[in-house]
Amino acid sequence: MAPSISVALLLFAVVVAAPWLVQPSSAAAFSFPPIFPCIPGFPRIPLFPCVEPPPLPAPPTECRSHLMKMMPCAGYLTNSSVTVPPSACCDGFSQVSADLAAICFCHIANGDIQQLLPAPMIFKRMLAITDQCGVNLRMEALVQHCDEFEGVPPMTLPSPPPSAA
């Protein structure tokens, strides 16, 4: 009789403890922390999760608003007596890059930025501004290759067509 009482007690303990044993917990499904980027097109590897990269922001639809951040450069780009760009100019350069709108630098390289400047731009200054600001960007390369880039946004968005009334 004694073994049946111990079996009954064990069965009772299992029935009472079963809800806590069946509940999912974070320890139940072990996997390593995600440290590797996911590779598109490759299957996921069990126990080795990957990190999905955040989606890239949409490319700019126009460049005027981004290039306006560089207007502190106007004095340096147009006035030969200003020998060094102000720090706000270099901050604007960095901000355009941080906004992922570096494609808009093509409007500087091809001279479109003159629409925003108070006087004609000194092109030699335009080529030197990246060195002056410590930006790792070669304006000479942009001058040569901006025409080849697909999708350089316009300086300003076109006006909507007039509505027919």
Side-chain angles (χ1 to χ4, degrees):
M1 278 300 228
S4 64
I5 292 176
S6 61
V7 169
L9 284 174
L10 180 62
L11 253 169
F12 177 74
V14 168
V15 168
V16 171
W20 287 283
L21 294 175
V22 176
Q23 259 186 348
S25 70
S26 61
F30 174 77
S31 66
F32 292 103
I35 57 174
F36 298 107
C38 297
I39 301 172
F42 282 91
R44 305 289 193 257
I45 302 172
L47 295 177
F48 294 99
C50 57
V51 179
E52 289 288 344
L56 291 175
T61 55
E62 55 81 33
C63 287
R64 184 181 206 92
S65 61
H66 297 286
L67 294 177
M68 288 301 290
K69 295 173 185 170
M70 294 183 57
M71 282 305 96
C73 302
Y76 175 75
L77 291 172
T78 60
N79 187 345
S80 60
S81 65
V82 178
T83 58
V84 177
S87 63
C89 167
C90 296
D91 293 344
F93 234 104
S94 299
Q95 187 62 43
V96 172
S97 296
D99 292 346
L100 297 178
I103 192 79
C104 292
F105 288 140
C106 284
H107 289 292
I108 298 171
N110 68 15
D112 287 347
I113 196 168
Q114 294 211 59
Q115 300 171 17
L116 306 176
L117 297 175
M121 179 170 59
I122 304 168
F123 279 89
K124 195 172 198 178
R125 291 286 181 92
M126 181 263 304
L127 295 172
I129 196 167
T130 54
D131 290 333
Q132 292 281 333
C133 288
V135 176
N136 190 17
L137 174 73
R138 304 280 13 123
M139 280 297 200
E140 297 88 357
L142 284 177
V143 169
Q144 292 174 354
H145 298 290
C146 273
D147 292 337
E148 300 169 11
F149 293 142
E150 292 291 323
V152 176
M155 189 72 147
T156 57
L157 288 174
S159 299
S163 60

